[in-house]
Amino acid sequence: SEKRLISIRKGRTLGEMSLVDQEPRSATCRAARDTEVLILDEEALEKLKESNPLVALALVTNLAKEISRRLHKTTGTLLRADGHSDPVMF
């Protein structure tokens, strides 16, 4: 069965974890309407690193920030679902 995890708006990324860690994706994406996407695979990222390392660094930095933002959001959601109102240190 399908379950909507998140909705992604224009200008946002998806699949960035797989680009960074080269592991299989954890979910499938399905567009709700006509969509244009830019696909950046491992090979294209390597070419970008060679041709323009500063742009590649900025891209990877922004991907890391996006992953961190989503992890913070997920952690907050899990804590609230478990009945915690304040962050918990483990």
Side-chain angles (χ1 to χ4, degrees), residues 16-85:
E16 66 280 343
M17 288 173 48
S18 291
L19 183 62
V20 172
D21 65 15
Q22 298 164 2
E23 293 291 326
R25 293 188 323 249
S26 59
T28 299
C29 174
R30 189 175 310 262
R33 60 180 63 93
D34 287 347
T35 304
E36 288 186 39
V37 296
L38 172 66
I39 298 173
L40 180 66
D41 61 13
E42 183 182 357
E43 182 181 340
L45 181 57
E46 285 301 318
K47 287 180 182 177
L48 182 60
K49 285 185 209 177
E50 292 171 10
S51 66
N52 200 330
L54 290 178
V55 171
L57 177 60
L59 174 69
V60 172
T61 299
N62 285 327
L63 290 177
K65 287 178 182 179
E66 180 67 13
I67 291 169
S68 178
R69 185 188 68 76
R70 289 184 185 170
L71 182 57
H72 282 294
K73 184 176 180 180
T74 299
T75 301
T77 300
L78 291 172
L79 288 172
R80 284 188 298 281
D82 199 32
H84 296 283
S85 59

Side-chain angles (χ1 to χ4, degrees), residues 7-18:
S7 294
I8 298 174
R9 295 194 166 93
K10 181 179 180 179
R12 302 308 292 231
T13 63
L14 65 127
E16 66 280 343
M17 288 173 48
S18 291

